[in-house]
């Protein structure tokens, strides 16, 4: 049996630089992993079946990314019991499902002694979703292409106050919308550190979802508030934990919030050997 934290992520910025003929969007983003997320426990066996249980497990099994990831790896006779304790809300832009899928690939590759390389796992992860590869890479990273071209990066320590509005943002609705910006000029990494970035989905999402607009207005009192991914969560970063805690104490009663620290290596690497390249 092996238990691991499946980390959440933030998109510190998100520029959409074009759209391919197959409909996928070209983008640039910076994935910041967090020291907070879901909890997954894996118990391998020789049953030849995959079972999944846990809190808030309302998605049909065949559609669950944990089950899909396990099925991609499964060989004759191999089985596992997986317990998923959800903390990351769905439709929040925090990468919960993608992180769970990547964690499943990494852990079962180890427990089942499959010996798949990092590149093989990255390829499998990409078939499950655009955000899965960064979690397979298990490190905060600069991303380009459709999110699959990753450059690991060590980011300075920051604390993040995250607010989760009471709504579920449809990624498909956002990316299909005619008002979405799709022609941002590609930037260099240095431009991000100079502060000249944004989330190209933010203005559209706050138009479509009043709950997100309200959360941004609340968070703008504490600093530069930004949407993560296509949302719904918004965040502000702080140099120190005490500053983030003080801001959290000033949030309206009833607003769901998360306090997390940015990390570089994923917590998965604390319990697993890194796959060979």
């Amino acid at each position: 049996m092996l238990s691991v934290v499946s980390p959440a992520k933030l998109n510190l910025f998100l520029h959409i630089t074009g759209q391919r003929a197959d409909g996928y969007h070209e983008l640039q983003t910076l994935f910041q992993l967090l020291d907070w997320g879901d909890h997954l426990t894996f118990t391998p066996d020789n049953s030849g079946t995959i079972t999944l249980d846990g809190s808030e497990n309302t998605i049909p099994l065949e559609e669950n990314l944990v089950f899909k990831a396990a099925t991609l790896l499964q060989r004759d006779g191999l089985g596992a019991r997986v317990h998923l304790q959800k903390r990351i809300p769905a439709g929040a832009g925090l990468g919960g499902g993608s992180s769970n899928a990547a964690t499943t690939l990494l852990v079962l590759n180890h427990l089942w002694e499959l010996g798949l390389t990092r590149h093989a796992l990255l390829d499998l992860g990409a078939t499950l979703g655009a955000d899965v590869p960064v979690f397979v890479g298990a490190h905060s990273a600069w991303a380009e292409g459709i999110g699959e071209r990753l450059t690991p990066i060590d980011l300075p320590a920051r604390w993040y106050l995250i607010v989760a509005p009471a709504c579920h943002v449809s990624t498909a609705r956002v990316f299909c919308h005619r008002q979405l910006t799709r022609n941002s000029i590609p930037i260099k990494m240095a431009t991000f550190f100079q502060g000249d970035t944004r989330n190209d989905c933010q203005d559209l999402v706050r138009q479509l979802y009043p709950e997100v607009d309200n959360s941004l207005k609340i968070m703008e009192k504490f600093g530069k508030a930004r949407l993560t991914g296509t949302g719904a969560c918004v965040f502000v970063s702080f140099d120190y934990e005490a500053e983030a805690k003080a801001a959290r104490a000033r949030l309206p009663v009833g607003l769901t919030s998360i306090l997390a620290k940015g990390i570089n290596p994923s917590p998965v690497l604390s319990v697993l050997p890194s796959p060979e390249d």
Side-chain angles (χ1 to χ4, degrees), residues 41 111 121 126 158 171 192 221 231 272:
T41 300
L111 293 178
L121 293 173
R158 301 283 290 172
T171 298
F192 167 79
K221 300 173 184 177
L272 284 182

Side-chain angles (χ1 to χ4, degrees), residues 42 50-52 59-75 82 97 100-102 104-105 108 112 124-125 127-129 132:
F42 298 85
I50 307 295
T51 60
L52 175 64
I59 300 174
L61 186 64
E62 294 75 15
E63 299 175 20
N64 190 289
L65 286 175
V66 170
F67 181 79
K68 287 184 175 182
T71 301
L72 282 178
L73 295 181
Q74 192 177 22
R75 306 290 186 267
V82 186
N100 296 164
T104 300
L105 292 175
L108 290 182
W112 285 342
L124 288 175
T127 69
L128 295 169
V132 177

Side-chain angles (χ1 to χ4, degrees), residues 2-230:
L2 192 151
S3 295
V4 64
V5 175
S6 183
K9 60 82 177 171
L10 293 173
N11 294 87
L12 298 187
F13 81 98
L14 177 57
H15 293 179
I16 301 172
T17 58
Q19 187 171 14
R20 305 190 321 191
D22 60 8
Y24 284 96
H25 288 80
E26 296 277 348
L27 56 83
Q28 288 185 310
T29 192
L30 185 52
F31 289 110
Q32 168 71 78
L33 299 188
L34 301 176
D35 69 345
W36 176 91
D38 296 335
H39 290 258
L40 280 161
T41 300
F42 298 85
T43 305
D45 56 41
N46 296 315
S47 66
T49 61
I50 307 295
T51 60
L52 175 64
D53 62 51
S55 61
E56 300 180 28
N57 189 21
T58 58
I59 300 174
L61 186 64
E62 294 75 15
E63 299 175 20
N64 190 289
L65 286 175
V66 170
F67 181 79
K68 287 184 175 182
T71 301
L72 282 178
L73 295 181
Q74 192 177 22
R75 306 290 186 267
D76 288 344
L78 294 177
R81 288 179 287 121
V82 186
H83 179 81
L84 171 60
Q85 182 183 357
K86 287 297 294 180
R87 300 173 75 193
I88 306 172
L94 298 177
S98 296
S99 179
N100 296 164
T103 299
T104 300
L105 292 175
L106 291 167
V107 172
L108 290 182
N109 181 54
H110 171 68
L111 293 178
W112 285 342
E113 300 181 346
L114 300 177
L116 295 177
T117 65
R118 183 193 308 273
H119 290 299
L121 293 173
L122 285 169
D123 288 343
L124 288 175
T127 69
L128 295 169
D131 284 351
V132 177
V134 69
F135 292 107
V136 173
H139 202 284
S140 291
W142 179 274
E144 296 183 292
I146 59 172
E148 86 288 5
R149 297 206 310 267
L150 297 165
T151 303
I153 184 171
D154 286 324
L155 294 165
R158 301 283 290 172
W159 286 87
Y160 297 90
L161 176 61
I162 305 159
V163 163
C167 66
H168 183 295
V169 172
S170 167
T171 298
R173 182 186 183 192
V174 173
F175 276 115
C176 290
H177 205 284
R178 60 184 177 81
Q179 293 183 21
L180 180 66
T181 297
R182 296 180 172 87
N183 59 352
S184 288
I185 298 172
I187 64 170
K188 302 293 186 183
M189 284 189 196
T191 304
F192 167 79
F193 291 104
Q194 293 165 3
D196 187 19
T197 60
R198 65 198 166 276
N199 183 329
D200 281 337
C201 300
Q202 184 165 308
D203 288 346
L204 175 59
V205 171
R206 69 189 307 173
Q207 288 177 38
L208 298 175
Y209 298 89
E211 300 92 339
V212 173
D213 181 58
N214 184 57
S215 294
L216 282 163
K217 289 176 180 175
I218 292 170
M219 293 288 276
E220 283 164 358
K221 300 173 184 177
F222 308 123
K224 187 175 183 179
R226 181 162 287 180
L227 187 76
T228 176
T230 56

